[in-house]
Amino acid sequence: MSTSAIRVRYAKALFAAAKDKNILDTVQTDIQKVFNVCIHSSDFFLVLESPVVKTSKKAELITKIFKEDINSLTLNFLLLITYNKRENHIQGICRNFLELTRKEQNIKSAVLLTASEINTKTVDKIKSLIEKELNSKVEISCQVRPEIIGGLILKIDDKQYDSSVTTQLRKIKQDLMGSEIK
């Protein structure tokens, strides 16, 4: 079974279980915590991936770290993954689960790239326009990319809207190169 299929299958199973028990919001918060630990603690992730560390030790570590902070369904799910020797997929499973919950809640993710820092008021205005256009809630993250010179690039899901100065200059150059001089 492919890595991505494993991650999707486990994420869907947890999503269905959380939805059946009507604790989707709680489990979503739990999975976000687990995902953050995976991202920010390289030692934790290295232990999970290590073939030298016994499964029982990995389960013990997961229990010690998360027992007080997460719902029993989420903890049991993490232990199930570990005992099924899929613990190296926890980060990907978390990512897929969070995508499923965003889709369920009609939340879109957007990335706004600009040449320089923009103020919060402008970001909020852009976010509100996107939400109105897409008829959904939007989580927006901003990144500064000086190489785009000016304008902006907006990425929403798998679409990209590019109104950067760099792209406009590239288009003008292509038009000039393509036209014949008489």
Side-chain angles (χ1 to χ4, degrees), residues 116-177:
S116 61
E117 196 76 33
I118 58 174
N119 63 36
T120 309
K121 190 175 178 181
T122 304
V123 172
D124 290 342
K125 178 126 176 137
I126 292 169
K127 180 180 174 184
S128 133
L129 289 169
I130 297 168
E131 287 177 341
K132 187 176 178 182
E133 183 68 29
L134 298 177
N135 197 26
S136 68
K137 188 173 181 208
V138 174
E139 292 176 345
I140 193 165
S141 65
C142 299
Q143 297 176 10
V144 175
R145 297 275 170 86
E147 65 271 11
I148 68 172
I149 303 172
L152 60 89
I153 299 172
L154 180 63
K155 298 177 182 180
I156 304 172
D157 294 332
D158 61 345
K159 294 180 177 74
Q160 177 172 303
Y161 305 94
D162 190 341
S163 67
S164 66
V165 172
T166 303
T167 300
Q168 300 305 318
L169 289 172
R170 187 178 315 117
K171 286 178 182 176
I172 291 170
K173 181 180 177 181
Q174 287 173 346
D175 288 347
L176 289 173
M177 297 296 282

Side-chain angles (χ1 to χ4, degrees), residues 16-157:
K19 201 167 178 184
D20 286 347
K21 293 184 183 259
N22 204 21
I23 56 171
L24 189 58
D25 290 341
T26 303
V27 174
Q28 179 183 9
T29 303
D30 294 347
I31 290 298
Q32 187 65 58
K33 288 177 189 174
V34 174
F35 186 66
N36 290 340
V37 169
C38 288
I39 289 173
H40 299 299
S41 175
S42 57
D43 291 340
F44 175 73
F45 197 65
L46 287 173
V47 168
L48 290 182
E49 285 191 321
S50 175
V52 177
V53 179
K54 292 182 181 178
T55 301
S56 60
K57 290 294 181 187
K58 291 177 185 181
E60 189 179 313
L61 175 69
I62 289 169
T63 304
K64 279 184 181 178
I65 292 173
F66 296 112
K67 186 175 184 176
E68 301 299 320
D69 290 335
I70 62 175
N71 184 285
S72 61
L73 174 70
T74 311
L75 180 61
N76 290 335
F77 179 76
L78 293 173
L79 295 175
L80 173 75
I81 292 170
T82 304
Y83 288 119
N84 286 345
K85 305 235 183 266
R86 303 288 196 202
E87 64 275 2
N88 58 328
H89 296 287
I90 287 178
Q91 186 174 342
I93 293 167
C94 290
R95 184 179 299 110
N96 283 313
F97 178 85
L98 294 170
E99 286 174 14
L100 287 170
T101 56
R102 279 191 204 95
K103 190 178 283 186
E104 171 78 11
Q105 298 166 345
N106 196 24
I107 298 173
K108 305 274 187 195
S109 294
V111 178
L112 179 64
L113 305 171
T114 56
S116 61
E117 196 76 33
I118 58 174
N119 63 36
T120 309
K121 190 175 178 181
T122 304
V123 172
D124 290 342
K125 178 126 176 137
I126 292 169
K127 180 180 174 184
S128 133
L129 289 169
I130 297 168
E131 287 177 341
K132 187 176 178 182
E133 183 68 29
L134 298 177
N135 197 26
S136 68
K137 188 173 181 208
V138 174
E139 292 176 345
I140 193 165
S141 65
C142 299
Q143 297 176 10
V144 175
R145 297 275 170 86
E147 65 271 11
I148 68 172
I149 303 172
L152 60 89
I153 299 172
L154 180 63
K155 298 177 182 180
I156 304 172
D157 294 332

